[in-house]
Amino acid sequence: MFNFLQKRGRNKQLDAIIGRMEMNISNNYKDAAQLGLKEFEEELHKLIEAGELKEKQKAYYEEKLACFKQEMKNFTHKDQKPTWV
């Protein structure tokens, strides 16, 4: 009925992982966000190897992966600077 509201050409599994990752990032849950990044990368490679993604989808999600990797490069508790120093 409301097919125009669906995001066409997207993968629901990968979008769900991205949604959880973005929520964890926004809430500053660093460990959970890092686990989400690993899950996203593994799922993406699994779908690519299985041939389940079209070329546009593959390019889109690979770009997302590269952006997340860059954004979360130092997104860990050990790299966090204490505010009292």
Side-chain angles (χ1 to χ4, degrees):
M1 182 171 165
F2 292 105
N3 290 337
F4 63 93
L5 294 176
Q6 294 178 349
K7 295 180 181 177
R8 302 186 91 197
R10 302 286 288 274
N11 184 285
K12 290 181 183 181
Q13 290 173 300
L14 294 176
D15 285 340
I17 296 170
I18 289 172
R20 287 193 309 268
M21 255 183 5
E22 288 176 340
M23 185 174 52
N24 288 328
I25 291 169
S26 68
N27 288 324
N28 207 25
Y29 298 150
K30 296 177 181 182
D31 295 335
Q34 291 290 343
L35 288 174
L37 178 62
K38 287 179 185 176
E39 179 187 3
F40 176 64
E41 186 172 18
E42 290 170 2
E43 188 67 26
L44 177 61
H45 290 303
K46 186 173 80 172
L47 290 171
I48 290 172
E49 288 175 8
E52 294 184 26
L53 295 178
K54 298 176 186 173
E55 283 302 314
K56 281 186 175 182
Q57 290 174 320
K58 181 180 167 184
Y60 173 78
Y61 288 114
E62 284 178 337
E63 167 119 12
K64 280 286 217 188
L65 177 62
C67 290
F68 277 122
K69 280 186 171 183
Q70 181 64 32
E71 180 182 342
M72 294 172 55
K73 191 174 186 177
N74 294 322
F75 194 68
T76 61
H77 288 293
K78 69 177 184 148
D79 294 328
Q80 184 174 351
K81 304 283 187 248
T83 57
W84 59 86
V85 174

